[in-house]
Amino acid sequence: MIHFTCDLCGKTLVAHQELRYVVKIDVYSALNPVEMYDEELDKDPLEDVSDLLPSSEEAHEGPQAEEGDFQTFRYDLCPACHAEFIKNPLGRPVPRKFGISGN
Ligand SMILES: [Zn+2]
């Protein structure tokens, strides 16, 4: 039986018995020309692109942190933590609303 552990609360999740959510976060520099294939490539486009496309997204061969600024994070979440996560994925301070309109 395969067990997973929620990366937020530590709850044990049994595969195939309990719902589990996977969070994947890709972080990379906005200067990385990943979104510039068709335009703004005014210098040696073929050479650059072939160098900067090291692998497909599904290559799960260990950490990818060595490719420049590119980092991938992966977490398992239980349903309760997933519900909280999607409300505030970046963990920002949540402004409290007590129904005071200020008018
Ligand atoms: Zn949890």
Side-chain angles (χ1 to χ4, degrees), residues 6-11 77-82:
C6 173
D7 286 315
L8 277 182
C9 71
K11 176 183 178 182
L77 299 183
C78 71
C81 290
H82 162 262

Side-chain angles (χ1 to χ4, degrees), residues 25-29 64-73:
I25 302 174
D26 292 341
V27 182
Y28 51 86
S29 167
Q64 304 177 21
E66 296 191 2
E67 294 286 312
D69 290 336
F70 191 90
Q71 288 184 282
T72 297
F73 301 87

Side-chain angles (χ1 to χ4, degrees), residues 5-23:
T5 302
C6 173
D7 286 315
L8 277 182
C9 71
K11 176 183 178 182
T12 298
L13 303 167
V14 181
H16 306 303
Q17 289 188 15
E18 295 177 89
L19 198 54
R20 173 175 61 100
Y21 292 87
V22 176
V23 178

Side-chain angles (χ1 to χ4, degrees), residues 9-99:
C9 71
K11 176 183 178 182
T12 298
L13 303 167
V14 181
H16 306 303
Q17 289 188 15
E18 295 177 89
L19 198 54
R20 173 175 61 100
Y21 292 87
V22 176
V23 178
K24 287 182 65 178
I25 302 174
D26 292 341
V27 182
Y28 51 86
S29 167
L31 292 177
N32 189 321
V34 160
E35 300 180 18
M36 293 167 51
Y37 295 146
D38 297 328
E39 52 190 4
E40 300 187 28
L41 283 176
D42 54 1
K43 62 175 182 65
D44 298 321
L46 292 178
E47 184 178 328
D48 281 355
V49 170
S50 61
D51 280 349
L52 291 167
L53 290 175
S55 57
S56 70
E57 295 181 34
E58 295 303 317
H60 285 285
E61 303 259 334
Q64 304 177 21
E66 296 191 2
E67 294 286 312
D69 290 336
F70 191 90
Q71 288 184 282
T72 297
F73 301 87
R74 183 188 181 282
Y75 304 100
D76 295 311
L77 299 183
C78 71
C81 290
H82 162 262
E84 291 301 310
F85 176 82
I86 62 175
K87 291 179 187 173
N88 187 6
L90 296 181
R92 290 177 293 202
V94 178
R96 297 186 180 185
K97 296 176 181 177
F98 293 107

